[in-house]
Amino acid sequence: MSKTLSLKLRDDIYEETEVLTEKLRVPRNGYINSAIAFYNKLKKRALLKKELTAESQMVRDNSMEVLKAFEAFEDEIAESG
């Protein structure tokens, strides 16, 4: 299913698109659809990277807390034994 969209492009982008679609012999609509699909994938990856970085930082912080707790526990065992 397709949706109709009214789109305003800057003159320079329009002209470049026209030149490229002519040289590539592809329909303008297909070219623009491909460009938007590519851009969407790029942005999804950027968002995923941001989310994974944030989650990694949270796990790192939590791991450091666990490590400190284990070290304290080991210290207690060493002192008592």
Side-chain angles (χ1 to χ4, degrees), residues 7-24:
L7 178 67
K8 288 187 178 189
L9 296 175
R10 290 190 336 240
D11 289 341
D12 60 324
I13 294 173
Y14 177 81
E15 292 300 327
E16 185 176 24
T17 301
E18 288 300 297
V19 169
L20 288 169
T21 56
E22 211 172 289
K23 286 183 179 180
L24 296 169

Side-chain angles (χ1 to χ4, degrees), residues 5 7 31-41:
L5 178 69
L7 178 67
Y31 181 84
I32 292 172
N33 271 298
S34 294
I36 292 173
F38 176 80
Y39 191 75
N40 284 344
K41 285 181 186 177

